[in-house]
Amino acid sequence: MSLLGEPELTEDGEFVINIGPQHPSTHGVLHLKVWLDGETIKKVQPHLGYIHRSIEKMSESLSYRNFIFATSRMDYLSAHINNEACALTVEKGLGIEAPPRAQAIRILMAELTRLSSHQLWWGCMGLDLGAVSPFFYGFRERESIMEVMEETCGARLTQNYMVPGGIMYDIHPNFQNRVKNVLKQIKENFKEYDDLLTGNVIFEGRTKGVGYLSPEDAISYGCTGPTARGSGVSCDVRKWFPYDGYDKLQFNEILETGGDCYARYMVRMAEMRQSVRIIEQMIDNIPEGDFQTKTKAVLKLPKGEFYQRVETARGELGVYIVSDGAASPYRIKYRSPNFSNLSALEHMAKGAKIGDLVAIMATIDLVIPDVDR
Amino acid sequence: MFIKDYIGTIYKSTVSLLKGMKLTGYYFTHPKKILTEEYPDNRATLKMADRFRGEVVMPHDDNNEHRCTGCQACEIACPNGTIKIITKQELQADGKKKKAIDAFVYHLELCTMCNLCVVACPSDAIVMAQTFEHSVYDKRQLKKTLNKPGSKIMEGVE
């Protein structure tokens, strides 16, 4: 290996290059070692660990109320849903349930988070494929959602609004009006999204038939979320294992059968519309009552193992807590969606061109801090 | 057949290109719809949301009195060790000794603004301030003592 001199060639005459860890299209500190034959990808090897903060180990020394804040830093684009997963697991262990008002607010916040996450993905996807303007259009509506979050939760990205037993404090009086305005704006903007990217011939040429993932492979690699649903695998946790009252809501699980980048793109675009549909059902029907159930000052889970899964914007997040009866968890494991989705990258990228690798990575929608934790 | 497809592709490309150009052109000619916040030029008018979590502060009233009893609930609730409370024994007017805070040390550089200390406080002694310009030239300036010099606990706060 020489850094400055001759390029590294393998015995078969393959050319090895490193993409990342500091590369704009890897969306973070992901390091991809790529073996190339000309411009065709022979092999991709993701190298992880550049942003490992040992959140799981750190949580073992924190109490059940305190460890939740760190999960905002895992998948920072769906921080809310991560916090919800932790709160739900602790509630499962304690044998309590959040009051109806808290559940409704949790769903509203989770769907707003999903909307903002998908909008950021949409902008970044355009940017990755060479179109700069979608980035600004995607961020514009996202900003209005961030303002709603700021007003009610007190923070824009790392909200930490969930506590075991409900939510930290009640919604802001402006919340409902503001969300309605945001929804009105977003529904108008969906048309703009379609005008800019969806129907564009260059975009279709870059994504259609690129990065095919068969349903069998999606299952065997453990892909979840829009990545698997683009291949026709039904895996929406909100439908299969409803939590926080998702079973009372009317929404569709989006499935596409294409399995390519375009199918994954269409799944996310349709999911945004479903999120809007869910928020519209909930926004005027937030039940009155408490926003938090009374819990003890020091939470202690009974001895045992507890698992709870939720659907984040990227797939299925599982929180697994082993408790030995003490005030802090004995072991915590997060089953993060991005790690499993990244493992399918090599399968998808094999045989594709190097420009397509960027398109494939954009449609998996990677968030690297969630891969490393 | 090939020619027909070829011309069809060119037509479709042109239409989709113009569609996108129409949208970007609209925003180019309608700058009123631009939503950029012109920070720091708008510093005078910029107001953060009421609940925005900037830093932990301890409000004092006009008599230089705060509400902190030194119970250390916030210190226990903090996940990062941001808060350190140093207590002392204070002589009361009736001759009895009572626990009071000597210094409420707050490390802004460790704080993640998770709000758990504010929620944990039983006497509402600390709140979140809406400030956000925290940059300093020296790390030591981030270590703050929240109770003002010479301050004491408010009457009736237990």
Side-chain angles (χ1 to χ4, degrees), chain A residues 58 62-63 65-67 69 73 133 137 140 143 147 150-156 158-161 163 168-173 185 189 192-196 199-202 204 208, chain B residues 9-14 16-17 19-28 33 35 37 47-54 75-80 110-117 119:
Chain A
M58 215 169 74
L62 296 172
S63 77
R65 254 182 244 283
N66 290 6
F67 82 96
F69 88 99
R73 276 90 182 158
S133 39
Y137 291 84
R140 182 187 50 187
E143 180 63 27
E147 277 169 10
E150 193 179 344
E151 197 175 41
T152 292
C153 311
R156 293 160 65 85
T158 51
Q159 290 104 354
N160 195 30
Y161 190 47
V163 290
M168 199 177 252
Y169 27 72
D170 211 350
I171 48 170
H172 198 272
Q185 186 64 37
N189 292 127
E192 292 184 355
Y193 290 6
D194 289 343
D195 282 355
L196 265 180
N200 193 295
V201 169
I202 300 167
E204 285 185 0
K208 272 188 179 164
Chain B
T9 314
I10 290 178
Y11 175 73
K12 222 180 131 196
S13 314
T14 320
S16 70
L17 188 70
K19 230 178 176 181
M21 294 289 272
K22 193 183 148 198
L23 185 71
T24 45
Y26 174 78
Y27 282 104
F28 184 68
K33 292 216 168 190
L35 305 161
E37 286 229 9
K47 197 182 168 298
M48 304 307 285
D50 309 334
R51 292 181 182 177
F52 179 74
R53 308 201 286 253
E75 195 177 330
I76 297 161
C78 181
N80 304 318
L110 296 175
C111 186
T112 58
M113 321 298 170
C114 65
N115 209 33
L116 289 170
C117 55
V119 171

Side-chain angles (χ1 to χ4, degrees), chain A residues 74-75 77-85 110-111 113-114 117-118 224-226 229 236-238 243 246 268 271 309-318 335-338 341 365 370:
Chain A
M74 274 162 40
D75 183 354
L77 293 179
S78 36
H80 219 290
I81 313 179
N82 293 354
N83 295 347
E84 190 182 359
E111 294 308 317
T113 310
R114 199 184 311 279
S117 168
H118 281 352
T224 46
R229 287 199 284 279
D236 198 328
V237 180
R238 294 175 292 171
Y243 54 92
Y246 267 111
R268 287 206 176 83
E271 255 186 27
R309 46 181 136 198
V310 295
E311 180 82 14
T312 73
R314 271 152 210 84
E316 177 186 323
L317 172 79
R335 182 254 181 245
S336 71
N338 281 301
N341 290 353
D365 193 12
D370 193 33

Side-chain angles (χ1 to χ4, degrees), chain A residues 98-103 105 167 170 287-294:
Chain A
R101 185 176 176 82
Q103 288 189 344
I105 295 166
I167 50 176
D170 211 350
E288 293 295 322
D290 290 341
F291 57 86
Q292 205 177 332
T293 41
K294 284 262 182 297

Side-chain angles (χ1 to χ4, degrees), chain A residues 22-230:
Chain A
Q22 306 293 338
H23 192 274
S25 70
T26 56
H27 293 228
V29 280
L30 177 68
H31 175 197
L32 294 175
K33 202 171 180 186
V34 187
W35 280 259
L36 295 169
D37 177 17
E39 218 186 328
T40 313
I41 293 165
K42 290 281 166 196
K43 194 176 158 194
V44 187
Q45 218 176 54
H47 287 198
L48 314 175
Y50 289 94
I51 192 162
H52 181 71
R53 293 145 298 167
S54 90
I55 287 178
E56 289 175 6
K57 190 74 193 165
M58 215 169 74
S59 303
E60 289 171 18
S61 61
L62 296 172
S63 77
Y64 285 110
R65 254 182 244 283
N66 290 6
F67 82 96
I68 295 176
F69 88 99
T71 53
S72 306
R73 276 90 182 158
M74 274 162 40
D75 183 354
Y76 49 83
L77 293 179
S78 36
H80 219 290
I81 313 179
N82 293 354
N83 295 347
E84 190 182 359
C86 295
L88 280 167
T89 321
V90 176
E91 280 166 22
K92 205 180 222 178
L94 292 170
I96 55 170
E97 204 176 45
R101 185 176 176 82
Q103 288 189 344
I105 295 166
R106 278 181 179 182
I107 289 178
L108 278 170
M109 286 296 180
E111 294 308 317
L112 282 173
T113 310
R114 199 184 311 279
L115 262 177
S116 73
S117 168
H118 281 352
Q119 276 163 350
L120 187 133
W121 157 81
W122 181 80
C124 291
M125 169 131 191
L127 195 69
D128 283 347
L129 297 181
V132 180
S133 39
F135 192 70
F136 299 108
Y137 291 84
F139 262 78
R140 182 187 50 187
E141 282 75 52
R142 189 169 179 274
E143 180 63 27
S144 53
I145 295 178
M146 289 286 106
E147 277 169 10
V148 172
M149 293 285 182
E150 193 179 344
E151 197 175 41
T152 292
C153 311
R156 293 160 65 85
L157 215 57
T158 51
Q159 290 104 354
N160 195 30
Y161 190 47
M162 301 283 139
V163 290
I167 50 176
M168 199 177 252
Y169 27 72
D170 211 350
I171 48 170
H172 198 272
N174 286 346
F175 178 75
Q176 275 155 310
N177 276 334
R178 214 158 175 159
V179 170
K180 276 179 206 161
N181 289 340
V182 169
L183 285 195
K184 211 171 116 196
Q185 186 64 37
I186 283 174
K187 275 198 267 181
E188 286 170 19
N189 292 127
F190 280 148
K191 208 186 150 294
E192 292 184 355
Y193 290 6
D194 289 343
D195 282 355
L196 265 180
L197 267 189
T198 313
N200 193 295
V201 169
I202 300 167
F203 178 77
E204 285 185 0
R206 286 288 306 271
T207 51
K208 272 188 179 164
V210 172
Y212 178 72
L213 183 71
S214 69
E216 292 78 24
D217 289 328
I219 292 170
S220 68
Y221 278 105
C223 294
T224 46
T227 311
R229 287 199 284 279

